[in-house]
Amino acid sequence: MQELEIIGARVVATCDASFRVIEHGGVAISKGQIIEVGSLARLKSVYARARVAFYKHGLLMPALTNAHIHFEFSSHKNTFTYGSFENWLTSVIQHRDLVFRHAQRHIRHALRVQMQSGVGSVGAISSYGLEREILAHSPLKVVFFNELLASAPLEQSFQDFQARYAQSLKHKSARFIPAIAIHAPYSAHKQLAQRVLEGIDKRTPVCAHFLESQAELEWLENQGGWFARFFQEVLGVAKPMPSYTGVLDFLNLFTNKHLLLVHALFARLEHLKHAQEIATQAHIITCPRSNRLLSGHLLDPTRLRPLDLPYALATDGKSSNLDVNLLEELRHALFALPGNLEDNALELLLACSARASQALGLNNGSLEAGKDADLAIFTCQKAHTPLEIALSLIQAKKARALYIQGRRVFP
Ligand code: MCF
Ligand code: FE
């Protein structure tokens, strides 16, 4: 007889396409996967031999997904400058090494924060590989984005990247997925970006920071502005020129790829449409607190709706945030993003569950038969609508339990 389990709660938010909410419901689990979702009474009668765990004052949801986090910067507190993207970037270049002290301890803490906040999957951006072993041995599902950072087309930079990528491939499993991030148009040279992306299949997500600042747009479109001065004065480049002929040229790197564009605050409609046309699938990742601290702007979800371009919510790293708690991010997003509150509540719940999971190409993020049994339980008295569920979540502050493939990993 195979191991069967039912996990139920007073409120079940499936986060499926119809956003079904079930009172006194649950999921039946076998071999780490959900085999049925429904009322507790039905599940108990169909799977009479199953072990049952019921959370009386609980909200059962898919485990959350934090689709963009820089674990390596977890020890950062107040070294970098906020209030302007340009000043932030200059401060990162000047003080980056400082923040890697005691990195391992802080990375472990950031990992605990993920689990405490009900996060079961992460999209981890890795510039140096400092967090690779810790993440590879954690219970979380990890899409591990080895980040290309090289503004000049040096062979040594390519070799260093390949070596890091090869290290991550050693840990490849159903739970740890090595992938590639192209840092940004101003910091990843076209020739190297093309070379590292060669042979990457159309199902593995590729990630890039994209049009996070007005300066980046100006650099790509007019080859001038703040970045020209930055390359000359800070990095000592004699005649700085972008390696891309424009925004679309940068996006063309991702033709036939599964593309995640992070931030996209200064992207125009034509850029977003182009991304959708050339990519096999395109997603936006938004990190509202990071955006507020760096450029001051926030993504306007109403601009994405007519395009049918999904977005995922993420914390970014402590390099540009006060913490990496996704429930805190949800709280700020709910209060700060422009648009109708109820529409935003529904989209934001999906943005840290089903849509974030789709962005990372994972088989979780909603409670449906055939999905991995990655579940989070939060305290909740009662909730029906997406807004009530979102409000319960942000008041809960911490998950009561986190299951991955049906196995409890927290507390
Ligand atoms: O998403 C934010 C802001 N935009 C760009 N980069 C980063 C962010 N948080 C951390 N970073 C890292 C990036 O991975 O900062 C460095 C890279 O290591 C900037 S380039 C020297
Ligand atoms: Fe980032």
Side-chain angles (χ1 to χ4, degrees):
M1 196 34 224
Q2 66 186 44
E3 182 90 347
L4 270 174
E5 189 168 13
I6 295 171
I7 298 175
R10 170 166 187 156
V11 182
V12 176
T14 58
C15 299
D16 65 1
S18 60
F19 207 86
R20 187 158 66 116
V21 176
I22 309 164
E23 268 190 70
H24 290 98
V27 292
I29 300 166
S30 168
K31 295 180 183 163
Q33 290 213 325
I34 298 172
I35 53 171
E36 192 171 339
V37 184
S39 75
L40 195 68
R42 181 190 148 78
L43 296 179
K44 277 180 165 174
S45 77
V46 177
Y47 307 99
R49 288 164 186 246
R51 219 159 10 110
V52 181
F54 182 72
Y55 292 85
K56 196 170 159 198
H57 300 293
L59 162 66
L60 168 63
M61 290 184 63
L64 306 181
T65 294
N66 190 358
H68 184 85
I69 170 170
H70 303 253
F71 280 100
E72 291 173 317
F73 288 86
S74 296
S75 58
H76 176 251
K77 228 177 182 165
N78 38 30
T79 305
F80 303 151
T81 309
Y82 292 142
S84 130
F85 170 81
E86 293 82 345
N87 292 347
W88 176 84
L89 189 63
T90 309
S91 70
V92 173
I93 300 289
Q94 283 165 349
H95 305 297
R96 194 170 25 187
D97 294 347
L98 263 181
V99 307
F100 295 139
R101 280 179 308 183
H102 313 299
Q104 308 287 314
R105 176 158 57 87
H106 292 279
I107 290 166
R108 285 205 174 82
H109 178 256
L111 193 60
R112 272 199 302 283
V113 171
Q114 301 313 295
M115 291 163 71
Q116 284 166 359
S117 48
V119 169
S121 303
V122 291
I125 309 298
S126 177
S127 308
Y128 308 96
L130 303 178
E131 75 293 54
R132 186 177 50 234
E133 314 296 318
I134 296 176
L135 293 184
H137 296 105
S138 83
L140 291 199
K141 297 223 167 98
V142 180
V143 178
F144 191 77
F145 291 100
N146 296 280
E147 183 169 69
L148 176 72
L149 254 178
S151 51
L154 302 178
E155 185 58 26
Q156 190 58 50
S157 305
F158 176 70
Q159 297 299 340
D160 292 349
F161 176 87
Q162 292 296 80
R164 260 194 299 128
Y165 186 53
Q167 287 296 327
S168 72
L169 285 174
K170 287 187 188 161
H171 298 286
K172 186 174 176 165
S173 73
R175 227 189 26 69
F176 185 90
I177 299 145
I180 292 177
I182 301 300
H183 177 258
Y186 55 84
S187 53
H189 195 280
K190 182 175 171 179
Q191 279 171 24
L192 293 192
Q194 283 173 333
R195 285 175 74 190
V196 303
L197 290 175
E198 248 169 49
I200 296 301
D201 68 76
K202 59 186 182 194
R203 268 175 296 275
T204 308
V206 179
C207 172
H209 293 91
F210 179 64
L211 293 182
E212 182 180 9
S213 65
Q214 182 68 41
E216 183 181 328
L217 183 62
E218 212 179 321
W219 173 239
L220 283 171
E221 292 196 322
N222 308 326
Q223 299 86 45
W226 180 84
F227 269 105
R229 292 194 298 281
F230 172 77
F231 278 112
Q232 252 170 352
E233 291 163 19
V234 180
L235 302 183
V237 180
K239 284 190 185 144
M241 268 295 278
S243 58
Y244 305 90
T245 57
V247 176
L248 303 193
D249 189 40
F250 175 71
L251 288 172
N252 287 340
L253 278 178
F254 309 103
T255 304
N256 286 325
K257 304 276 187 270
H258 174 140
L259 173 60
L260 316 188
L261 292 175
V262 185
H263 308 313
L265 295 170
F266 294 85
R268 288 196 298 268
L269 224 54
E270 76 215 55
H271 304 145
L272 300 176
K273 279 188 180 154
H274 189 74
Q276 282 181 301
E277 271 166 30
I278 54 105
T280 54
Q281 43 177 302
H283 301 259
I284 301 295
I285 312 263
T286 194
C287 310
R289 289 188 291 170
S290 166
N291 292 163
R292 189 76 184 118
L293 281 176
L294 269 48
S295 77
H297 289 251
L298 292 175
L299 185 82
D300 182 353
T302 58
R303 291 186 65 223
L304 304 181
R305 275 176 213 145
L307 296 175
D308 215 6
L309 179 56
Y311 71 88
L313 177 74
T315 58
D316 223 337
K318 268 192 76 187
S319 27
S320 60
N321 208 338
L322 295 190
D323 59 61
V324 285
N325 182 329
L326 193 60
L327 298 175
E328 277 295 320
E329 203 65 45
L330 178 65
R331 178 200 316 275
H332 284 81
L334 201 60
F335 282 90
L337 289 192
N340 172 287
L341 182 63
E342 285 178 343
D343 292 344
N344 283 358
L346 172 63
E347 282 182 2
L348 284 167
L349 286 173
L350 295 173
C352 54
S353 58
R355 289 182 186 161
S357 161
Q358 282 151 16
L360 294 185
L362 300 173
N363 183 41
N364 57 16
S366 59
L367 305 183
E368 292 176 272
K371 294 281 182 184
D372 294 349
D374 296 354
L375 317 169
I377 288 117
F378 300 90
T379 298
C380 166
Q381 298 304 333
K382 82 180 192 333
H384 301 282
T385 65
L387 181 55
E388 287 167 349
I389 290 168
L391 291 173
S392 301
L393 253 187
I394 60 180
Q395 286 176 74
K397 298 211 160 125
K398 260 189 184 180
R400 274 173 61 184
L402 177 70
Y403 293 82
I404 294 183
Q405 307 277 146
R407 189 172 70 85
R408 202 177 75 188
V409 297
F410 171 82

